[in-house]
Amino acid sequence: MKFDPEQVKLETKEDFDRAWSTSGKYVAQPDPNRDYTMHNEPGKAHPVYDTLNKLREAYLNLGFEEMVNPIIIEESDIFRQFNYEALAVLDRVYYIGGLPRPNVGISDERFAQIEHIFGRTLADTDKETIREILHKYKKGEIEGDDLVADLAAGLKIQDSKIAVMIDHVFPEFKKLEPVASRKTLRSHMTSGWFISLASMVNRRTTPLKLFSVDLVFRREQEENADRLRAYHSASCVIMDPEVTVEHGKAVAAGLLRQFGFSQFKFKPDDKRSKYYTPDTQIEVYGYHPALKGSNTKYKDGWVEIATFGVYSATALAQYDIPYPVMNLGLGVERLAMILHQAKDMRDMVYPQFKEEWDLTDAEIAHMISMEKHPQTKEGHDIAMAIIATVERNGSAPSPCRFDAWEGTLNGKKIKVYLEEKEEGKKLCGGAIMNEAYVYKGDLLGIPLNNPKFAEVAQKGAPTGIRNIDAIANAAARNIEEGVYETTVKMSRAPGDVYIKVDPVALRYIQGKKHKIDFRGPVFTSIKAELVE
């Protein structure tokens, strides 16, 4: 259930243990009448992972075998692979650091503080338990993840109090500074390929065709529209005594044709990385018809999409690999930007952080629902019967009454009917069958049989909810609760007809100055009476 974050912050600051221990009050209790089954329905893929999975399939279609390469690379491997370029490469890698284990001394004063937090006196065995566990932690025999749990188990006290004890009594933990190791996060998939191939060279026959699609990390000075510090590389290698740059061209074409690229250009790469053999490092440019004339920097249809080369013997020899190896790589995010015509990599990868908030009509429509639902089978039957009655007789002249349902509900025999007593009208108003649509960010209740709204009906996103659907379900729920009359007159807003707009959709619509228009004459009265 929804709660007030500011109130919880205040409670946490005053007494963390109590606030945490009682936080279960914010979790709703299961409703025994609700069906929690998860049904199959279409989801929404992220552009990066959609592209990533397609790249995996594309490599598999070309006969490559999928691998997982090491993600943690020793600094010494960078020197072996890049030689005198290593220092320049290391300037862009992330070194892995960790917190040292503090040497914690425990005085009588500290034991007194612990007793105050625990609310009880510490026995000599308790004090020894604390000393012993902290000593084992210092020696690395207990992992940081287990420290709180082990102390709680050893002292037979809530782990939340242990957390408070560590925070209040042992400031050494808060004063720790991370210390870097000689291990790095992979900045090039190449770093992993050398290690993997060295392990496989005497176990597998050639030609060996492998691929991997995984994260790499670069210590960029800043992220921008074309560059991130963490991104995915779709990389492959072919280890074969007869491998040439023609293999790279063939793989690039075979891979990218599966994404709609139809023509290719190959140009020497000016960077000339030292782990590639001279004159084999090639940039791949592809032509995609969908980009021609697009509102992107690729409007001529051509885009640089991949790089390949043949690993240098000077680098391969450091790993005792005696065969030439062709390596091709491309950035998944870059390809996703092209395929989805995104202008800013940051916005595409992390849409949750975009300053400009965008929701599609379909996304808004998914946030529209009925305000009330019946909780019993009989209630559901009542709602369906009301809807069927209106569909058959909604235009009947008044005065009129139509029975909709009769049966037993909650142990009582009742009859449900619709009635309009006033002369010269109809059983229901003209807007009773209006359906909620989202079009160009506007939320509208429209009559589908009115040519005026043909464009909305054809191009908008339907919610699948008509006024009568929401009203009938609300009336059925009211009857279950003993409220035997539900009357709706003029509608001006969704709530007037028991249609609910999610707060997220409402904030978006109002923030973008779009409109919500549900005006219309509904004029329906649904009643129930006890039957003797």
Side-chain angles (χ1 to χ4, degrees):
M1 62 184 69
K2 192 173 181 179
F3 57 85
D4 181 0
E6 293 304 320
Q7 178 62 32
V8 176
K9 288 178 189 176
L10 182 62
E11 294 171 356
T12 302
K13 187 175 181 179
E14 289 176 349
D15 188 338
F16 170 79
D17 183 54
R18 182 178 179 184
W20 180 81
S21 299
T22 60
S23 59
K25 64 188 177 184
Y26 299 118
V27 180
Q29 295 300 310
D31 183 347
N33 296 313
R34 180 177 173 182
D35 181 8
Y36 290 94
T37 304
M38 293 291 291
H39 300 284
N40 289 341
E41 60 179 323
K44 180 181 178 182
H46 190 286
V48 171
Y49 290 104
D50 176 59
T51 306
L52 185 151
N53 284 325
K54 289 176 180 176
L55 276 164
R56 292 181 61 249
E57 291 298 321
Y59 272 122
L60 291 169
N61 290 339
L62 295 178
F64 282 80
E65 177 184 346
E66 189 166 26
M67 298 289 294
V68 177
N69 282 321
I71 199 168
I72 297 175
I73 308 295
E74 293 287 349
E75 181 190 67
S76 57
D77 281 297
I78 306 298
F79 281 99
R80 293 170 73 187
Q81 296 163 15
F82 292 89
N83 207 293
Y84 60 79
E85 277 188 331
L87 291 178
V89 173
L90 289 170
D91 182 62
R92 298 180 64 189
V93 307
Y94 286 101
Y95 279 85
I96 298 174
L99 294 175
R101 300 290 174 91
N103 189 14
V104 179
I106 310 178
S107 63
D108 289 340
E109 181 183 354
R110 286 189 172 186
F111 280 131
Q113 289 178 276
I114 295 171
E115 289 177 339
H116 176 73
I117 293 169
F118 289 0
R120 65 174 173 84
T121 301
L122 291 174
D124 290 340
T125 53
D126 293 331
K127 295 178 181 179
E128 185 56 34
T129 295
I130 295 173
R131 289 193 184 96
E132 182 181 347
I133 291 176
L134 289 177
H135 181 66
K136 287 183 176 180
Y137 171 71
K138 167 66 178 173
K139 292 172 61 179
E141 296 176 11
I142 293 177
E143 295 296 332
D145 291 347
D146 300 323
L147 179 60
V148 170
D150 286 1
L151 282 167
L155 297 171
K156 295 180 174 56
I157 199 163
Q158 304 101 301
D159 53 9
S160 58
K161 288 188 180 294
I162 298 296
V164 173
M165 176 193 79
I166 292 174
D167 183 73
H168 288 43
V169 180
F170 301 108
E172 296 94 330
F173 284 90
K174 292 191 285 187
K175 295 178 180 178
L176 295 175
E177 294 288 339
V179 176
S181 68
R182 293 296 181 183
K183 299 179 185 297
T184 72
L185 288 177
R186 179 179 60 206
S187 63
H188 299 70
M189 190 63 76
T190 285
S191 297
W193 280 130
F194 278 106
I195 298 169
S196 292
L197 289 172
S199 181
M200 301 171 71
V201 68
N202 293 320
R203 300 182 183 182
R204 302 288 295 273
T205 59
T206 58
L208 185 59
K209 297 165 59 179
L210 309 172
F211 83 94
S212 184
V213 186
D214 207 346
L215 278 167
V216 292
F217 305 86
R218 299 278 181 90
R219 194 169 66 90
E220 305 288 359
Q221 293 302 311
E222 63 176 5
E223 295 187 326
N224 56 39
D226 296 303
R227 186 171 295 170
L228 298 178
R229 293 188 176 102
Y231 63 94
H232 294 82
S233 173
S235 178
C236 73
V237 290
I238 298 178
M239 184 169 68
D240 185 348
E242 306 301 324
V243 79
T244 73
V245 292
E246 293 302 316
H247 287 84
K249 294 178 182 180
V251 172
L255 195 68
L256 295 172
R257 280 198 183 98
Q258 298 181 62
F259 291 88
F261 290 90
S262 56
Q263 301 175 52
F264 303 95
K265 295 177 182 177
F266 304 100
K267 299 180 180 180
D269 191 339
D270 294 333
K271 290 194 288 290
R272 294 173 59 86
S273 301
K274 295 303 181 288
Y275 57 83
Y276 282 136
T277 302
D279 302 323
T280 67
Q281 188 169 342
I282 307 294
E283 293 177 340
V284 181
Y285 291 79
Y287 177 83
H288 200 299
L291 295 176
K292 181 71 173 177
S294 64
N295 187 27
T296 70
K297 62 183 180 181
Y298 313 120
K299 58 185 178 183
D300 66 349
W302 287 95
V303 56
E304 180 190 349
I305 192 65
T307 300
F308 69 84
V310 178
Y311 285 152
S312 168
T314 57
L316 291 166
Q318 307 307 310
Y319 291 87
D320 296 323
I321 300 171
Y323 304 112
V325 176
M326 190 286 297
N327 164 241
L328 178 142
L330 62 89
V332 176
E333 284 78 1
R334 185 174 180 82
L335 179 58
M337 283 184 70
I338 295 165
L339 298 178
H340 293 268
Q341 297 195 14
K343 297 180 180 179
D344 192 308
M345 189 179 292
R346 296 165 298 185
D347 291 343
M348 180 193 70
V349 176
Y350 303 113
Q352 65 269 38
F353 302 130
K354 284 177 66 174
E355 291 185 10
E356 273 297 315
W357 187 24
D358 292 314
L359 289 177
T360 65
D361 288 347
E363 288 171 333
I364 297 172
H366 194 68
M367 298 183 195
I368 311 303
S369 60
M370 293 187 289
E371 195 171 282
K372 292 186 175 184
H373 296 270
Q375 301 298 304
T376 63
K377 178 184 180 303
E378 293 78 10
H380 175 75
D381 292 343
I382 291 171
M384 294 300 100
I386 293 170
I387 293 169
T389 301
V390 170
E391 289 175 338
R392 288 193 304 267
N393 307 296
S395 298
S398 62
C400 59
R401 167 176 165 159
F402 291 90
D403 292 341
W405 187 87
E406 184 173 343
T408 302
L409 175 67
N410 298 332
K412 299 176 182 178
K413 289 189 176 181
I414 63 169
K415 179 183 290 185
V416 179
Y417 60 95
L418 288 87
E419 182 177 49
E420 176 54 64
K421 294 181 179 180
E422 192 173 339
E423 291 188 8
K425 296 184 179 296
K426 296 180 179 179
L427 178 64
C428 301
I432 188 68
M433 301 301 289
N434 283 8
E435 184 169 343
Y437 268 73
V438 182
Y439 182 55
K440 294 183 177 180
D442 296 335
L443 176 58
L444 310 169
I446 64 168
L448 294 180
N449 58 358
N450 188 332
K452 178 182 176 182
F453 298 100
E455 183 175 337
V456 177
Q458 291 171 5
K459 299 181 180 179
T463 66
I465 302 172
R466 302 172 298 178
N467 288 349
I468 181 55
D469 300 325
I471 294 169
N473 277 273
R477 180 59 181 154
N478 290 342
I479 293 168
E480 288 178 334
E481 295 174 337
V483 178
Y484 285 2
E485 182 172 348
T486 301
T487 299
V488 179
K489 296 183 179 180
M490 284 294 296
S491 169
R492 293 175 178 81
D496 295 335
V497 289
Y498 299 96
I499 289 178
K500 181 170 66 174
V501 182
D502 189 280
V504 172
L506 186 61
R507 281 195 296 273
Y508 179 81
I509 293 170
Q510 292 175 340
K512 294 287 187 176
K513 301 189 184 311
H514 293 303
K515 65 182 179 181
I516 298 177
D517 191 349
F518 271 67
R519 289 174 296 173
V522 178
F523 293 106
T524 187
S525 183
I526 302 167
K527 300 177 181 179
E529 61 185 18
L530 295 175
V531 178
E532 297 297 332

